[in-house]
Amino acid sequence: MGNLLKVLTCTDLEQGPNFFLDFENAQPTESEKEIYNQVNVVLKDAEGILEDLQSYRGAGHEIREHPADEKLQEKAWGAVVPLVGKLKKFYEFSQRLEAALRGLLGALTSTPYSPTQHLEREQALAKQFAEILHFTLRFDELKMTNPAIQNDFSYYRRTLSRMRINNVPAEGENEVNNELANRMSLFYAEATPMLKTLSDATTKFVSENKNLPIENTTDCLSTMASVCRVMLETPEYRSRFTNEETVSFCLRVMVGVIILYDHVHPVGAFAKTSKIDMKGCIKVLKDQPPNSVEGLLNALRYTTKHLNDETTSKQIKSMLQ
């Protein structure tokens, strides 16, 4: 509890309580350890996944070279197969991330504590939840700027079906069978595949846990958004970050929980009744150097569900234009 400094608990009741969440140093308590260790196994692979995605160059050159030449076709196939192995690894990681998120949601929304009490008491789990969101937005930013991913995978599937028709044995087919290829195809067709995976997982979590009020989940998300916003806009808190990376971490987490809230909450994040101060959150984003947040503003513009609803105020819409 020493890392926690409660503030504004009564001044802004509509936006819920706000406190300092130690994203840099939170350590698990005894009661958090089981879930923490399970999630940690997944998170320790996250950085390697991002590095692989960042260095993903694609096989566009080989694919474009004289497609009618059999030798060159073999060369293109040889270039694409290992890349599809990487794409399979990314997809499988999304499944592991989904399972980790569901474990965290189970812990952070369980009774008898309120979501705010959970986030205060279980800072290490809150930090892991934040790390999942941070990874997700970084992954999707990289994926969006790399058209080679879908081109390679489409080529792989086209070539594979041609090989089947001609009864040619296909090295690599064992890696990605037809059913898996269909699932991967749906995954990579999304502009933001990891975010879609998390949104679906959160929605599924709510629908499968009917004994748990939906507010337990949505309040967990709105409290997290509120905490991030307050930490970013309060100089006293911001000065406690030991490096500038924590600022971009906080911004990504704030946007990530807003998007999840918007997908899970019946009326979304932009309605007047929303527990998220959207104007405040957008203002915090716009107060940063423009180049550093354009991707996050785009995430709010294009991956939320309710922004264009009639219930969204004109002011919010114009702030995001």
Side-chain angles (χ1 to χ4, degrees):
M1 282 304 225
N3 290 329
L4 236 50
L5 181 63
K6 279 205 198 177
V7 42
L8 306 178
T9 33
C10 303
T11 53
D12 197 359
L13 284 173
E14 282 195 4
Q15 299 310 334
N18 299 292
F19 48 84
F20 187 80
L21 191 47
D22 193 349
F23 284 142
E24 292 178 346
N25 306 303
Q27 294 301 315
T29 57
E30 207 49 52
S31 62
E32 291 171 88
K33 272 191 176 152
E34 191 186 341
I35 297 278
Y36 182 90
N37 290 338
Q38 287 168 13
V39 176
N40 220 33
V41 171
V42 180
L43 281 174
K44 69 178 176 42
D45 294 335
E47 209 51 50
I49 294 284
L50 288 174
E51 283 165 16
D52 279 355
L53 179 56
Q54 203 149 17
S55 63
Y56 189 101
R57 291 290 166 265
H61 175 69
E62 289 84 350
I63 291 168
R64 283 191 301 271
E65 261 189 330
H66 308 297
D69 184 311
E70 208 168 299
K71 279 258 181 320
L72 291 169
Q73 278 178 11
E74 279 175 28
K75 187 181 165 195
W77 179 250
V80 164
V81 167
L83 291 171
V84 169
K86 272 191 178 182
L87 296 181
K88 180 191 175 199
K89 190 170 91 169
F90 300 159
Y91 171 74
E92 286 173 342
F93 187 75
S94 78
Q95 304 304 289
R96 293 173 62 206
L97 205 64
E98 178 184 344
L101 177 78
R102 287 159 72 98
L104 284 172
L105 284 172
L108 292 170
T109 58
S110 62
T111 50
Y113 301 118
S114 72
T116 304
Q117 287 169 322
H118 273 299
L119 292 172
E120 285 187 89
R121 298 165 71 96
E122 291 144 25
Q123 294 237 335
L125 297 186
K127 178 175 182 272
Q128 285 185 317
F129 184 23
E131 282 172 4
I132 286 177
L133 289 163
H134 183 243
F135 163 83
T136 296
L137 271 90
R138 285 171 71 202
F139 182 96
D140 286 348
E141 278 165 19
L142 288 169
K143 186 265 173 186
M144 277 170 115
T145 55
N146 196 337
I149 288 172
Q150 267 176 289
N151 295 341
D152 291 350
F153 198 61
S154 299
Y155 175 83
Y156 175 82
R157 297 198 76 187
R158 282 198 310 275
T159 308
L160 204 52
S161 61
R162 199 165 58 238
M163 286 168 146
R164 279 207 198 101
I165 292 163
N166 299 328
N167 288 321
V168 177
E171 174 217 343
E173 189 178 357
N174 301 333
E175 279 247 350
V176 179
N177 62 30
N178 212 27
E179 188 202 343
L180 178 57
N182 288 334
R183 292 205 307 271
M184 284 171 63
S185 207
L186 289 170
F187 177 75
Y188 287 113
E190 293 290 338
T192 52
M194 285 288 176
L195 210 43
K196 175 81 166 78
T197 301
L198 294 198
S199 299
D200 290 352
T202 310
T203 307
K204 202 171 170 189
F205 173 82
V206 169
S207 65
E208 283 176 1
N209 291 278
K210 297 215 184 315
N211 58 334
L212 200 67
I214 185 173
E215 290 76 29
N216 285 33
T217 304
T218 54
D219 286 0
C220 173
L221 298 170
S222 61
T223 303
M224 197 95 153
S226 178
V227 168
C228 289
R229 173 181 59 77
V230 170
M231 293 201 306
L232 287 159
E233 68 187 11
T234 311
E236 174 201 342
Y237 282 171
R238 203 156 160 161
S239 67
R240 291 168 71 175
F241 298 157
T242 58
N243 61 59
E244 213 33 49
E245 273 172 29
T246 308
V247 173
S248 64
F249 181 89
C250 246
L251 290 163
R252 276 203 182 92
V253 173
M254 181 179 78
V255 169
V257 282
I258 289 170
I259 293 166
L260 289 190
Y261 181 97
D262 194 56
H263 278 264
V264 175
H265 196 285
V267 297
F270 300 96
K272 276 197 171 72
T273 52
S274 161
K275 288 193 176 176
I276 296 176
D277 173 7
M278 282 308 302
K279 288 176 195 161
C281 290
I282 296 167
K283 186 180 180 308
V284 165
L285 282 165
K286 293 202 150 182
D287 285 345
Q288 312 306 315
N291 295 347
S292 66
V293 292
E294 198 48 41
L296 296 177
L297 288 165
N298 282 337
L300 289 178
R301 287 173 190 128
Y302 306 122
T303 63
T304 46
K305 196 175 169 183
H306 294 281
L307 174 61
N308 295 315
D309 289 4
E310 283 175 17
T311 49
T312 303
S313 75
K314 286 185 175 141
Q315 194 186 354
I316 288 176
K317 284 181 182 171
S318 72
M319 281 176 90
L320 279 173
Q321 264 167 13

